[in-house]
Amino acid sequence: MDESRQRAAVPLRAGTAVRVGDLVMQNFPEQEFHATVHRVYSRGGRWVADLTWHYPATDNYVEGYDLFLLVRVTREQLDAVTKPIRVSAGEHQGWIKEAVVTRWAGYFRVTCSCKDGLEVCRTGRQAGWCRTLEGARALWAWHVAGEVGEVPPA
């Protein structure tokens, strides 16, 4: 194999498990949107990718996105996720959303506008992640009731 072909193959063999055609997400538990990888390459000593982010209303092509922020996902993972549920009660407006990646994958997070869109907390800094959708709904109800009484279990 000539040297130019070996160099062209390096980004797909070394440095990352992300390949052209893969679906990826940012490796943050609150991430909802995914992207399709079009190209993987090294730039300035960093592995980067050209990809298209898929948002509900549009697609957005981005060049040179750092790979260290991304994790591969499958179509099955994306299809299995419960669609975000808008919740409201009085002045409280929020969402219940299921995480796709990180250690919180499969858990539900509860957010509220009174917390600037951040997670509802059970006690102190314990974020409002719930193992089930029913648990997330119970946490939401506890929150809008003034966070009094027994805290719903995670």
Side-chain angles (χ1 to χ4, degrees):
M1 181 182 280
D2 71 335
E3 185 181 339
S4 64
R5 288 182 137 224
Q6 287 177 343
R7 232 179 302 129
V10 168
L12 302 179
R13 283 197 322 244
T16 180
V18 176
R19 310 261 193 274
V20 172
D22 281 348
L23 299 176
V24 294
M25 295 180 83
Q26 287 180 322
N27 198 23
F28 305 122
E30 64 275 8
Q31 182 55 257
E32 302 173 48
F33 307 110
H34 71 281
T36 302
V37 176
H38 300 292
R39 182 174 161 219
V40 178
Y41 53 100
S42 177
R43 182 172 71 191
R46 296 182 351 245
W47 290 102
V48 296
D50 295 347
L51 40 85
T52 299
W53 286 103
H54 305 290
Y55 299 108
T58 187
D59 288 342
N60 186 23
Y61 186 81
V62 176
E63 294 180 352
Y65 198 90
D66 282 316
L67 285 184
F68 78 89
L69 294 173
L70 301 175
V71 63
R72 285 177 44 195
V73 294
T74 64
R75 173 56 56 197
E76 291 77 21
Q77 281 175 285
L78 296 172
D79 291 344
V81 172
T82 303
K83 300 297 178 221
I85 300 167
R86 186 155 191 58
V87 287
S88 69
E91 294 181 16
H92 295 278
Q93 307 293 319
W95 292 93
I96 296 174
K97 298 177 183 179
E98 185 177 1
V100 180
V101 295
T102 75
R103 67 185 179 107
W104 295 109
Y107 283 68
F108 294 86
R109 72 190 274 256
V110 180
T111 63
C112 188
S113 59
C114 75
K115 300 196 176 281
D116 294 326
L118 297 175
E119 288 89 2
V120 170
C121 293
R122 287 185 171 78
T123 55
R125 297 175 56 91
Q126 184 181 0
W129 289 92
C130 302
R131 290 184 179 97
T132 65
L133 181 55
E134 294 77 26
R137 289 185 186 277
L139 183 62
W140 174 256
W142 173 78
H143 172 68
V144 298
E147 299 182 2
V148 294
E150 189 173 329
V151 179

